Amino acid sequence: MTYYKFLAAGRIAPFSGHPWSDDWLDARQVVACEQGVHACRPTDLPFWLHDELWRIELAGPVTRLGHQVVAPRARLVGQVVGWNAQCADAFGRRCLARTAAHAAAECGELDDGALAAAAERLADHADPDQPIVGPEPDGGLAALREVAVRRQEAAALAGQRTAAQVCGYLVDAIDMLGVYPVAGMGYVAARAAQARRAEGTRDRYAEERRWQATWLVEHLDLEG
C-alpha cells in the first residue's frame, strides 16, 4: 500500500513542528497518537488535510489506527503537486455543495427547490482544473445564506429539529468557506450528513467521509 502524509508548508510536521528532509526519520519509540511516524491511507486523507501532501515510505511494523497508521521509520518519497490551493478550494466548494444537498433533503416541503438548485450549481463550479474565482460563483453565497437562515427558522417553528440543525450546518459552511482551513469544510459536511434523520443502520457520517476520500483519490490520481 502507498501511504501519505500531510505537512505544513515547507515540509513541517503540523503537530510536532519537526522539519522533514529527504533522509529517513527514526522514532525512538512508537506510541499511538503520541510518538512514531503517523501517516494516512487513502481512506484517511479527509481527516488530515493540510498545506502539502506527500507520498511516504514506512519501515518497520505498521500499526493501523482508527484514521491513520503509525510506524517507527519513514521517509518522504515525493510530493503530490496536485494538492494545492486550487484543489483545496475545489474540495471545499464540493463539501459546501454536499452540505447544501443534505439541507435540501431534510427541508422537504419547507424548501421551494432553492437549496437543491444551489447545491447543484456549487457542485458544477467546483472544478480543480479551472482557475479559482471569487467567493460567490453561483451568483451569491450571501443570498444562499439568507435562504438557509430562513429555512432554518421555518424548520424550528415547525418543530423540525433535524432540518433546522442541518440548515445551521449549511450557514456554518458558507461562513467558513475560504476563511477556515479546508479540513473544516469536510468536517461540517460529514456532521451535516450525520445529523440527518436516521435511516436504519446507515452511517451517513462514514459515507460522507468515504465520498471525500474517493474525490481526493480520483482528482489527485493517487495510488491505493
Side-chain angles (χ1 to χ4, degrees):
M1 174 179 286
T2 301
Y3 295 101
Y4 301 90
K5 188 167 185 67
F6 279 102
L7 298 175
R11 298 187 182 189
I12 304 298
F15 295 100
S16 68
H18 181 82
W20 281 71
S21 67
D22 293 329
D23 299 325
W24 282 94
L25 178 66
D26 291 276
R28 283 173 289 189
Q29 59 179 322
V30 173
V31 179
C33 302
E34 294 183 15
Q35 297 185 47
V37 182
H38 294 79
C40 298
R41 296 156 292 191
T43 53
D44 303 326
L45 292 171
F47 296 90
W48 304 103
L49 303 177
H50 218 290
D51 301 327
E52 300 175 354
L53 177 58
W54 290 79
R55 291 179 177 85
I56 187 172
E57 181 180 355
L58 301 179
V62 177
T63 302
R64 299 188 175 208
L65 307 175
H67 297 299
Q68 58 184 331
V69 299
V70 62
R73 301 187 74 217
R75 66 175 177 179
L76 301 179
V77 175
Q79 187 172 2
V80 180
V81 295
W83 177 252
N84 51 32
Q86 184 172 314
C87 188
D89 177 80
F91 177 79
R93 293 183 189 280
R94 285 306 300 267
C95 289
L96 174 57
R98 299 276 298 183
T99 306
H102 289 307
E106 286 303 314
C107 279
E109 62 188 28
L110 294 175
D111 187 44
D112 57 2
L115 294 180
E120 188 173 333
R121 289 196 301 273
L122 286 165
D124 289 342
H125 173 80
D127 184 351
D129 297 324
Q130 298 297 324
I132 297 175
V133 296
E136 298 188 351
D138 66 327
L141 288 184
L144 173 58
R145 189 183 190 281
E146 291 181 6
V147 171
V149 169
R150 290 199 299 271
R151 300 295 185 272
Q152 182 182 21
E153 293 172 346
L157 287 173
Q160 298 183 13
R161 293 184 180 181
T162 299
Q165 183 179 8
V166 181
C167 284
Y169 281 125
L170 176 55
V171 173
D172 290 341
I174 293 169
D175 290 344
M176 291 170 60
L177 183 64
V179 178
Y180 283 73
V182 71
M185 299 299 296
Y187 175 74
V188 170
R191 288 299 303 272
Q194 182 185 36
R196 292 182 58 185
R197 284 168 292 182
E199 187 177 300
T201 59
R202 184 175 181 182
D203 187 344
R204 284 197 172 96
Y205 184 92
E207 288 178 6
E208 194 68 23
R209 288 304 201 177
R210 283 195 294 270
W211 180 90
Q212 294 170 13
T214 299
W215 190 95
L216 290 166
V217 168
E218 291 178 351
H219 283 79
L220 296 172
D221 194 23
L222 303 180
E223 300 87 2

